[in-house]
Amino acid sequence: MFSYKIVLVGNFGVGKTSLIRRFVENSFSEEYLSTIGVSISKKTIGNATIMIWDIEGHTEFKPIFKQYLMGAKGFILVADLLRQETIEALQNHIDLCYAVVKDAPICIALNKCDMPHEISQREIEEISKLSPTVLKVLKTSAKENEAVEDLFLTLDTRIKESIKAD
Amino acid sequence: MSQKKKTDNEEEALEGALSPIVNRLIDKNFEKSGDKIASQMAPLIGGAIREQIKSQKDDIVDALYPVMGNMISKFVTKSFEELLNKINQQIQSGLSTQTIKRKLKAKLKGVSETELLLEENAHAKIKAALLIHKESGMLLTKVENEDANLSDADMLASMMTAIRSFVNEWVASNQEHQELGEIEYGGNKIIIEASGSSYLAVIVEGAAYTKTYNKIRHALEEIVLEYGDEIQEFQGDYSQLKQEEIEKKLQELLFKESDTKNKQAKENKTHPLLYIVPLLLLLFFAYKSYESYVDESLKDAITHNIVTTPALSPYAITIDVEDKNAVLKGRVPFAYHKELAYKKAAEIKGVTQISNNIEIIPTLTDPMQVSAQIAYLLKGLNLSSANRLNYTFDYKNLHLFGTIDSHKQKESLLKELSTIKGIENIQDDIIVTPLKINTALYFGRGSYKLSPLAQKELLSLLIKLKKKERAPLLVLDAYSDMIGSKAKNTSLAQKRMQNIIDFLKTYDSKLTFKSYVHHNPPKGVDPQKDHDKARCVTITAKEEK
Ligand SMILES: Nc1nc2c(ncn2[C@@H]2O[C@H](COP(=O)(O)OP(=O)(O)OP(=O)(O)O)[C@@H](O)[C@H]2O)c(=O)[nH]1
Ligand SMILES: [Mg+2]
């Protein structure tokens, strides 16, 4: 029996809540309902219960964000392929996560890949080099259910390994 | 690995620093010699300890918790120093030991006389207790009464942790040093008792008095004393945690009070009839107890059959058997479960009749979870802007009141609330008081670059705008420090405003602007004295077009 917490971090509107909904209840909605504060979901995979914290998207820094990140075993950082500034913000999010939980693994979702977008393989590689803790960078779509499982399961596998190793 | 080593070293250092205090505290009984303790502790505070306390609050709390309970965690925060300073002052000003003793006692116990009286007649019922990992919010273990109906304890634990973070963060930024102590809902209460790396959330029905708090504190003390290390090291693997043992400790919390009460009740009930017709009664009791033995074993058999059915095990279904008639009670989400429970009961031989009083509640919701969910929605809104929202929740009926700064926020709040199952009626007395947009940005001399501070201001402006139902026309007024030529200042003013507009537009291309250049500083600013304040662009909103 395992149980751990992960947190999704990213600017507002990038699709954090949508990715979680896709993963947890396999559904999607076009409507944008901005998350207020934090919302928590739960998903069981095998013998692990994952508590997934969805925090409101942010551009400014609030001390409370740190509190939400505390105790997480891994992070999913989300950016929107259609908004360059959300990709540029990734570095900040990585720094914040690192400051709170050192060495926690990170998966990065470049979301909304179902829409026409431009991103080169080189740029993706650069993103994956932002930090040695980055496990994987994936182009995802919550809408078309692309790479969503991969995103969460990659992180789950790594976290389980690290818990067992302890 | 290296982290482990570090904590080991820290622990050693800590032990060295703490053992003198702890030993002395254990030696001396606090109640008997409060004044002595005060004089012993006061000099220690002045030295190295103070630094330690600042940097390793959680460790200290854990180390001292078993000795002095929650009082310590309050001490370690600001009031620690304050209280001791006060004691010092009193000693110095020559108060009699008697007075100090009394004051200390009252302060340490935090009890008033009326409360002591009330306590005698109090009956608080502890329905459930959750032990939660403080940092991550993971549920370590829980116990509950059969009528507690906790539908999802993992979720509750995480939510409680989020709420604690909200409240504690808010409190911290307001300089009052106190932690979230309890959340109330309907006639129930969640009492929170925190140690360094874990906390207990205890769900109590009815009024809670000092006795209840002490009991909770005591339970946590024992757990921290025995399992503190394990809890601190908890990484998510339950096999590393002596869950069952901890559960046993918590279980005491549920039963003790009522058990001792029953015992007392029994002792008082020695009926005189017992001496007059002993034989009759004996027979009667023998028969009754045989009957109740049969009923009891039927009840056990049915209970077993139901709880071992996986589809039914999450739901608290209670079974009563009297005269071989079984009554099923509880709440389940679907008719399927109700029928299944009936079937499982009917499989037991010897039952003559089954009344299926199980209620079907389309979405099994826990009032406390509902309330917790509402609480954090509102706390979130209250934190993020000038909102002052409040609520009362009496299961299924929600009353909202206070102020919010936009219709859009209010709508999204109501929408989110409507997705919470378990709220049936919303009485909405929220008043919308629009957010005022009024930002001033300052620039360096001869510069039109946006400073990091200015960018931050603009981002918070954007967030405010995001909350409005319709983006207003933004009016920019650029003011001048009147140093240099008019032409130069005009060009600077225009560049400053363009920079602001460009910045805002990258985030929201739909914004509209109107800009004005002024050749004077803003009202009330003397350019001679305050030229920093004079080089400024203000942004205000024009709501009505
Ligand atoms: N086309 C497309 N749209 C998406 C996708 N994921 C999310 N969206 C849309 O993007 C909008 C924002 O999604 P959310 O999931 O609410 O974004 P968020 O990151 O949770 O936003 P905040 O809670 O405000 O921080 C919604 O309108 C979604 O329908 C996707 O993969 N493809
Ligand atoms: Mg969201």
Side-chain angles (χ1 to χ4, degrees), chain B residues 33 125 133 135 146 225 248 265 273 295 298 310 316 338 397 415 445 455 461 490 500 510 535 539:
Chain B
S33 52
K125 186 176 171 206
H133 192 242
E135 209 178 59
E146 61 257 307
L225 193 63
K248 231 178 255 165
L273 260 182
D295 286 343
L298 278 177
K338 181 172 175 175
N397 299 316
K415 210 164 192 176
R445 189 163 174 181
Q455 292 191 8
L461 171 71
T490 307
I500 293 173
K510 286 196 223 75
R535 284 186 299 272
I539 306 174

Side-chain angles (χ1 to χ4, degrees), chain A residues 1-5 11-13 31-42 49-51 53 56-65 67-73 83 85 102-103 159 162-166, chain B residues 1-2 133-139 152-155 157-159 161-162 164-169 233-240 376-377 380-381 383-384 409 412-413 415-416 419 456 459-460 463 466 506-507:
Chain A
M1 280 284 286
F2 298 103
S3 179
Y4 63 86
K5 159 182 174 179
N11 286 12
F12 54 77
E31 193 186 9
Y32 177 31
L33 236 176
S34 189
T35 306
I36 301 168
V38 49
S39 119
I40 297 161
S41 325
K42 175 172 138 175
T49 305
I50 315 178
M51 303 305 300
W53 290 49
E56 67 180 29
H58 55 284
T59 43
E60 61 168 348
F61 177 76
K62 283 191 209 161
I64 183 76
F65 292 132
Q67 298 246 15
Y68 291 147
L69 305 186
M70 267 162 50
K73 285 279 166 288
R83 281 153 64 209
E85 87 271 8
K102 232 173 104 202
D103 299 332
I159 293 172
S162 77
I163 293 178
K164 279 179 199 152
D166 268 347
Chain B
M1 276 296 113
S2 68
H133 192 242
K134 199 169 170 184
E135 209 178 59
S136 63
M138 301 314 308
L139 179 67
D152 194 339
D154 286 321
M155 203 68 170
S158 285
M159 274 176 355
T161 308
R164 262 195 91 232
S165 302
F166 261 137
V167 176
N168 292 348
E169 182 63 42
E233 304 264 291
F234 180 72
Q235 294 293 323
D237 183 353
Y238 287 112
S239 65
Q240 304 285 320
Y376 86 64
L377 267 177
L381 276 173
L383 274 186
S384 61
Q409 270 197 66
S412 83
L413 170 69
K415 210 164 192 176
E416 289 239 8
T419 65
K456 221 176 129 188
L459 286 172
S460 46
I463 285 168
K466 204 179 111 189
T506 54
Y507 289 89

Side-chain angles (χ1 to χ4, degrees), chain B residues 475-520:
Chain B
V475 181
L476 308 188
D477 288 277
Y479 295 93
S480 157
D481 59 3
M482 299 172 80
I483 306 173
S485 74
K486 210 167 171 176
K488 178 105 193 289
N489 279 334
T490 307
S491 140
L492 264 175
Q494 273 160 353
K495 280 181 183 155
R496 283 170 186 162
M497 290 194 290
Q498 196 54 49
N499 256 348
I500 293 173
I501 291 171
D502 288 347
F503 184 91
L504 290 174
K505 283 219 163 173
T506 54
Y507 289 89
D508 189 347
S509 58
K510 286 196 223 75
L511 291 174
T512 50
F513 300 90
K514 215 172 180 103
S515 49
Y516 301 95
V517 176
H518 303 266
H519 298 294
N520 53 291

